[in-house]
Amino acid sequence: MASPGSSRRSSSIPEFPAGGWAVPAVGLGTALVQFVAEDVRAAVLAALELGYRHLDTGSLYGSEQIVGEAVAEAARRGIITSREEVFVTTKVWCTQCHPDLILPSLRESLQNLQMEYVDLYLIHCPMSVKPTKPHYPIKREDIMPMDVRAMEECHRLGLAKMIGVGNFTTMKLKELLAITKIPPAVNQVELNPVWQQKKLMEFCREKGIHVIAYHPLGGQSRTSTPNPVLHSDVLKEIAEARGKSVAQISLRWVYEQGVSIVTTSMKRERLKENIELFNWELSNEDGLKISQIPQHKKITVLSILCPDGVSTVDISEVDVVEV
C-alpha cells in the first residue's frame, strides 16, 4: 500500500515511492479530446485547492502553458506554498522521440510550463515518428526505429527529476532495460478493472518500475459506445452495496494495486469524489468479482495511426496491447 515517501507536498493524498522520489496516488490529467483553456485553468486551481499535488500534461495535449500558469497563480494565491509542492509530469511525443530532439522538446515544454524542471518526463509511446510538430493520427510510413537514450541526459542535467515511459509492454521494457544506464522510474499505461494488465503489473513490480494509470474510469469516447467501466454491472453491484459511486470503486481498485492514478475530470464535485478513496477498502470478495470482469482495451497503436499506408516497422512491435 502507499507510503509517505520523501516529498515537500502538503496534502492528505497518499504517495507511492518511485525512483527515489514520491508520486501522489491521485493526480489531475489534462489529456482532453477538446478543452477550453479557462476550464482547464479552473480545474487545475480547483484540484490544487482540494489537495491534488500531481498535474499531468504532455507536449501533444497543448495544455502545458495553461498548467504552468495555473500553478503560478495557485502559488500567488497561497493555495500552494511554491511550485516545489506540485509534482508535474510532461511527455515527449513520438515526433520528437529522437536523439537530437528529446532534450530540446523538454526545454520547450519547460518554457511552456514556465518551470525550471519537471518531476517526471515520459516517453509518450513506444515508437518514433518522422520529426514534425506533435500530432496524430500518424502516417504508418513515418514510423522509424526508436532511440531514447537521450532521456538520460534530461535527468543528468536536472531538468527531469525522474524519467520514464508510457504505454510500454513487457517486451518493450525488456528492450529498454537492456540498453539504458538509468532504468525508467515509471510506466504510465491504461489500467482499470476492465483492462487489468496483470502480466505487465507483475513485471513492473519485479523491476521496481512504478505504474501510473490513465483511463482509470474507462476514458473519453467520441462514439456512442457505452463506457465499459462506468457501465459495468459488477462495479455497479459493488458500488451499491458499499454506498459509493462506480467511479470510486474503480479508482479504489486501481489504488489497491499499488498504482498511482491520473483522472481528467474538469468538475469540482467529481474532483472531490475522486480523492475520497483512502478511509475504506474493498473486500476480498469484491476483488475476486473484479478479477473476473471481461477485459477490453481502449487505446491501441491502430487508434493513433492513419488507416492507410505501409510501415517499414512491424506494427505489432510498437503496439501498446499486451495479453
Side-chain angles (χ1 to χ4, degrees):
M1 201 49 64
S3 64
S6 56
S7 76
R8 300 167 63 181
R9 289 180 284 278
S10 173
S11 171
S12 61
I13 297 176
E15 297 177 322
F16 290 102
W21 300 90
V23 182
V26 182
L28 176 68
T30 57
L32 298 164
V33 175
Q34 295 179 330
F35 68 82
V36 176
E38 286 306 314
D39 291 344
V40 175
R41 183 178 289 102
V44 171
L45 289 169
L48 293 173
E49 287 175 347
L50 290 167
Y52 283 70
R53 290 298 180 264
H54 180 191
L55 302 174
D56 180 279
T57 183
S59 60
L60 179 69
Y61 304 157
S63 58
E64 289 174 328
Q65 183 174 344
I66 305 164
V67 168
E69 290 171 353
V71 170
E73 182 176 346
R76 287 194 302 269
R77 289 168 52 179
I79 297 171
I80 56 174
T81 57
S82 68
R83 178 264 177 271
E84 284 69 30
E85 194 176 335
V86 184
F87 187 98
V88 178
T89 297
T90 195
K91 311 175 188 77
V92 57
W93 183 239
C94 308
T95 53
Q96 267 62 51
C97 210
H98 301 276
D100 60 334
L101 295 179
I102 286 176
L103 180 55
S105 181
L106 176 54
R107 291 190 188 280
E108 183 176 347
S109 290
L110 291 174
Q111 184 175 11
N112 291 336
L113 288 162
Q114 302 175 56
M115 296 177 183
E116 296 181 354
Y117 69 91
V118 290
D119 298 88
L120 178 62
Y121 192 40
L122 298 178
I123 300 164
H124 206 142
C125 285
M127 66 178 175
S128 296
V129 174
K130 181 179 177 181
T132 61
K133 286 290 185 181
H135 72 279
Y136 80 97
I138 292 167
K139 294 181 180 179
R140 296 174 185 235
E141 55 269 29
D142 287 346
I143 300 175
M144 303 170 63
M146 186 173 66
D147 182 348
V148 297
R149 284 172 287 188
M151 292 288 289
E152 298 183 2
E153 185 67 10
C154 298
H155 177 67
R156 281 192 287 266
L157 290 171
L159 302 179
K161 288 185 177 180
M162 291 192 292
I163 53 175
V165 296
N167 298 295
F168 270 51
T169 60
T170 297
M171 180 188 74
K172 299 305 290 186
L173 285 172
K174 287 178 178 177
E175 292 175 1
L176 184 64
L177 289 169
I179 63 170
T180 55
K181 295 179 180 178
I182 304 174
V186 163
N187 188 15
Q188 186 180 106
V189 297
E190 180 182 352
L191 190 141
N192 56 56
V194 304
W195 190 247
Q196 297 180 16
Q197 302 263 47
K198 293 178 181 178
K199 179 180 178 181
L200 180 64
M201 286 290 296
E202 181 180 353
F203 183 83
C204 287
R205 289 191 191 104
E206 177 188 329
K207 298 300 181 181
I209 300 171
H210 182 57
V211 174
I212 297 178
Y214 71 81
H215 285 175
L217 302 179
Q220 305 168 73
S221 179
R222 298 182 182 181
T223 69
S224 58
T225 305
N227 182 305
V229 172
L230 298 182
H231 289 83
S232 166
D233 290 336
V234 172
L235 298 180
K236 285 181 181 178
E237 178 185 340
I238 296 172
E240 289 173 2
R242 294 196 159 275
K244 305 294 182 182
S245 69
V246 171
Q248 287 175 317
I249 298 299
S250 180
L251 294 174
R252 177 69 200 189
W253 178 86
V254 175
Y255 171 70
E256 290 188 5
Q257 310 313 301
V259 172
S260 292
I261 299 163
V262 170
T263 65
T264 54
S265 178
M266 295 290 104
K267 297 180 179 180
R268 187 184 181 93
E269 61 270 22
R270 292 289 173 81
L271 291 170
K272 183 175 183 294
E273 178 185 300
N274 288 348
I275 56 173
E276 294 174 340
L277 308 174
F278 309 115
N279 60 353
W280 56 279
E281 297 180 353
L282 296 170
S283 68
N284 291 336
E285 183 182 358
D286 294 334
L288 178 61
K289 290 177 180 178
I290 292 172
S291 71
Q292 297 171 344
I293 293 176
Q295 297 295 283
H296 169 78
K297 193 176 196 315
K298 179 179 177 64
I299 300 297
T300 69
V301 73
L302 295 179
S303 68
I304 62 172
L305 297 181
C306 294
D308 302 319
V310 178
S311 172
T312 58
V313 175
D314 186 347
I315 297 300
S316 66
E317 292 288 310
V318 296
D319 207 348
V320 297
V321 178
E322 179 170 40
V323 180

